[in-house]
Amino acid sequence: IDVACIGLQYQHRALVMGELERIGYKVMSEVGPIFDEYRAIYNRAKVAFTWSSRKDTIARVFETPRMGCALVTNQTPDLGLFYTPGRDCLTFTDAREAIERIEGLLQDETARNAIALNGYNAAAPHTWTHRAEWLVKVFKDDVPAEAFNYAMLSELERVKK
């Protein structure tokens, strides 16, 4: 599998995946795979493609690098809190740019492997377990609501280092 995008195939996602398939790349773009099948697909994919329809950082942005994929995702307002674009993932602003980024990674194995490894390492502190442990600590320490955002940003800066 060259490129995988599992999830709802909104028009913008389908446009990119359809064009990549038309060019001749092997793509996997479905809604149904979950659990082991989901992991098996991404473990075989060279590139994980995500495009958040709400401009938020979605779970696949953390999951797919940990499965060894080079991540190509749209730029979201908070993505920089978790990754350094250009090092840990590649970003885009439109379909044409997404296709260019994906093709570039598929044609350059060294760059693809570097992005995949950097993304793998950058995503390590962002597991569900880490988030749950952090939330338990925050609420156990009875952090006031107005300090919650500051505490969250401080934690993100800590794990990014």
Side-chain angles (χ1 to χ4, degrees):
I1 301 171
D2 293 316
V3 187
C5 178
I6 297 174
L8 294 174
Q9 295 303 304
Y10 298 111
Q11 184 177 3
H12 52 280
R13 291 179 184 167
L15 172 74
V16 170
M17 295 301 278
E19 180 61 16
L20 290 167
E21 189 170 35
R22 188 194 67 72
I23 292 169
Y25 293 107
K26 184 171 183 186
V27 304
M28 173 62 74
S29 56
E30 294 185 12
V31 176
I34 59 173
F35 306 124
D36 291 340
E37 186 181 3
Y38 174 88
R39 285 188 298 273
I41 290 167
Y42 278 114
N43 278 312
R44 290 192 322 266
K46 295 173 185 171
V47 174
F49 168 64
T50 69
W51 192 338
S52 170
S53 58
R54 294 188 177 140
K55 304 273 190 270
D56 57 342
T57 299
I58 58 179
R60 272 187 302 279
V61 166
F62 302 106
E63 297 165 353
T64 56
R66 294 297 292 174
M67 290 184 255
C69 298
L71 174 64
V72 177
T73 187
N74 61 312
Q75 181 66 51
T76 57
D78 59 351
L79 187 68
L81 294 173
F82 311 106
Y83 293 114
T84 300
R87 185 190 76 196
D88 305 324
C89 63
L90 294 185
T91 60
F92 61 88
T93 56
D94 59 31
R96 178 195 52 77
E97 201 172 43
I99 292 165
E100 288 174 5
R101 300 284 192 268
I102 292 166
E103 280 195 292
L105 288 176
L106 291 173
Q107 294 167 8
D108 186 344
E109 184 177 2
T110 301
R112 183 177 68 243
N113 289 339
I115 293 287
L117 179 61
N118 291 337
Y120 180 89
N121 292 328
H126 301 292
T127 66
W128 291 111
T129 300
H130 287 119
R131 286 290 166 259
E133 289 169 351
W134 180 78
L135 285 171
V136 166
K137 180 187 180 312
V138 166
F139 288 112
K140 180 180 171 197
D141 293 346
D142 199 27
V143 173
E146 60 274 4
F148 183 78
N149 285 340
Y150 176 78
M152 185 171 179
L153 289 174
S154 296
E155 172 67 3
L156 290 172
E157 285 301 315
R158 183 191 68 76
V159 299
K160 189 174 178 184
K161 292 178 182 174

